[in-house]
Amino acid sequence: MYMIRRILIGCVCLLCSVAWETVQAKKTVLSAEIYGYRAEMVYFDCFQTPLLRQEFHTNPGEEHIYSFDTERMVTFAINGKTTVLLMPGDSLHVNLRYEGKQVQAVEFSGTAEAVAQNRLLRDIAQLKRTMRYKSQLLACIAVDVKPKERFEASRVLSEQSRKLLEKAGKEIRPEVSSYILADIEGSVYNSFMEYPVMYAETRRLPIEKQEIGDYWSVMDGYSLRTDKNALQSLDYIGMLMRYMFFVNEKKAHESGTTYTRPTSFEEGYRAYAAFYTGDVRDVVLYTIICNFIRNGKNLDRIDDVVKEYKKKYNRNKEYVHIIETLLQ
């Protein structure tokens, strides 16, 4: 009897050990060592959710470790400058070296797939720096980048990024490939739709004289991405928001009428709810609701919108959890 009890206890302990290892395996880990950084705090900020973030006191050579649970792909900004991507269960260590305020070197170690995907992100970021491809369109306006030049640079960026992705090959998981392509397309197609208009308004050069061809055909043949990995990209979500305006403006142009963009949060919410469907509608509505809450003004206006969103349009329950947390 004593031996049977020992065997049973051993089996229970083994099962508990396996269960614990399974739980542990689900943890996603981001760590970093940072040298030459002069600010007091080190920040890990997740782009997809404000609920995943961590901060540490700066201590050169110390390993800053953040272990967390996630069921989806996430991207983080380290100190607002270096972007890293992790899939559930990934372990990534980042070695960062600064010179002044600029990052001079980034090296990765960790699980093989995590290292490969972040090296690819680093290579694309380096490509942008080499091309002097600005992420903010207002920065292009400030230095008078011509729309024709921005269009050409955007096409080159798209082409060269795809080549880097092809070169990485099977090292990059399909989910990550979808995200990276969406992220690039978000920047490129937003430039196509938005920059000529901005340039015309600020530099007083009509779109017809910008040497970009037919502005209204810039999105012809493009199919929107609807998979959940593509919809993790903030640049792509931003492009989706601009795309609704573009489509309606194009229809108005063709009919000889004028399209007026929504002028209030509620009008924008209703317009996006009517224009999009499924997961795309869900992420766009979630984004504008979160932006309104973070603005911190007139939050009494949000209650009815959130109730309707939860009842009619929400598909990703994590979005509801984030909204409710922000409202607390």
Side-chain angles (χ1 to χ4, degrees):
M1 186 68 178
Y2 174 72
M3 288 299 297
I4 293 175
R5 288 180 63 188
R6 289 192 63 183
I7 292 171
L8 288 173
I9 291 171
C11 289
V12 170
C13 290
L14 179 61
L15 288 171
C16 289
S17 176
V18 171
W20 174 248
E21 288 177 3
T22 301
V23 171
Q24 289 291 89
K26 292 181 181 178
K27 287 286 185 182
T28 304
V29 181
L30 172 62
S31 62
E33 290 177 50
I34 302 177
Y35 300 90
Y37 184 62
R38 297 177 181 176
E40 292 184 4
M41 303 295 292
V42 172
Y43 297 98
F44 295 174
D45 292 300
C46 181
F47 288 109
Q48 287 74 28
T49 168
L51 306 186
L52 290 179
R53 67 182 306 274
Q54 191 60 271
E55 58 185 54
F56 312 87
H57 287 284
T58 300
N59 189 3
E62 180 180 337
E63 185 177 18
H64 306 299
I65 304 174
Y66 182 34
S67 178
F68 58 93
D69 294 311
T70 182
E71 295 181 357
R72 59 167 169 159
M73 172 194 303
V74 288
T75 54
F76 280 82
I78 301 178
N79 296 333
K81 289 184 176 290
T82 303
T83 299
V84 295
L85 184 153
L86 297 103
M87 293 291 289
D90 277 355
S91 179
L92 181 71
H93 180 73
V94 187
N95 189 304
L96 279 169
R97 294 187 179 275
Y98 283 77
E99 187 172 310
K101 295 182 179 180
Q102 300 302 315
V103 177
Q104 292 301 309
V106 185
E107 297 297 335
F108 302 106
S109 57
T111 51
E113 290 174 320
V115 170
Q117 67 207 23
N118 282 285
R119 284 176 177 167
L120 176 58
L121 286 182
R122 180 190 61 190
D123 291 346
I124 292 174
Q126 180 58 45
L127 172 64
K128 290 180 179 179
R129 284 192 293 272
T130 301
M131 293 176 58
R132 296 185 178 180
Y133 189 88
K134 301 182 185 302
S135 59
Q136 299 297 323
L137 294 181
L138 283 175
C140 296
I141 293 289
V143 296
D144 197 18
V145 174
K146 302 296 188 289
K148 181 180 180 180
E149 296 170 357
R150 180 67 178 187
F151 272 41
E152 180 58 27
S154 295
R155 293 188 181 100
V156 171
L157 174 65
S158 178
E159 178 183 321
Q160 294 301 316
S161 296
R162 287 177 180 274
K163 287 183 179 179
L164 289 172
L165 184 57
E166 290 172 5
K167 183 178 179 181
K170 294 182 180 179
E171 290 184 332
I172 306 301
R173 288 169 281 199
E175 304 97 312
V176 176
S177 295
S178 179
Y179 168 85
I180 289 175
L181 289 172
D183 204 53
I184 295 297
E185 289 171 8
S187 179
V188 167
Y189 286 105
N190 192 58
S191 292
F192 289 171
M193 292 184 288
E194 182 68 11
Y195 194 60
V197 177
M198 289 179 62
Y199 197 88
E201 292 175 348
T202 56
R203 295 289 178 173
R204 301 292 185 265
L205 182 67
I207 292 176
E208 296 78 15
K209 296 182 179 181
Q210 293 177 10
E211 301 181 66
I212 59 170
D214 179 17
Y215 169 71
W216 297 111
S217 68
V218 294
M219 298 301 290
D220 286 1
Y222 181 70
S223 298
L224 295 180
R225 294 179 179 272
T226 59
D227 66 278
K228 293 181 179 180
N229 298 296
L231 298 179
Q232 301 301 318
S233 165
L234 297 192
D235 278 352
Y236 198 75
I237 295 169
M239 188 275 286
L240 290 171
M241 297 171 79
R242 180 62 179 87
Y243 181 72
M244 183 191 75
F245 298 151
F246 178 83
V247 170
N248 288 325
E249 288 162 353
K250 182 177 180 179
K251 288 179 180 178
H253 171 76
E254 291 172 345
S255 63
T257 58
T258 301
Y259 170 70
T260 302
R261 296 187 185 186
T263 57
S264 70
F265 164 70
E266 291 84 357
E267 287 180 2
Y269 168 83
R270 288 193 292 269
Y272 285 120
F275 186 80
Y276 284 118
T277 61
D279 290 335
V280 175
R281 174 167 56 195
D282 190 13
V283 74
V284 169
L285 295 182
Y286 157 75
T287 300
I288 65 171
I289 289 171
C290 285
N291 288 344
F292 186 83
I293 295 171
R294 285 169 170 164
N295 190 43
K297 297 179 181 179
N298 303 315
L299 292 184
D300 55 309
R301 294 165 53 188
I302 200 75
D303 292 341
D304 290 340
V305 170
V306 171
K307 287 178 183 177
E308 182 182 79
Y309 165 71
K310 289 163 65 174
K311 182 178 180 180
K312 295 178 63 176
Y313 304 125
N314 174 253
R315 297 166 70 120
N316 186 331
K317 299 308 175 186
E318 184 183 1
Y319 294 165
V320 171
H321 175 60
I322 293 170
I323 290 170
E324 290 175 343
T325 301
L326 290 175
L327 286 171
Q328 290 176 358

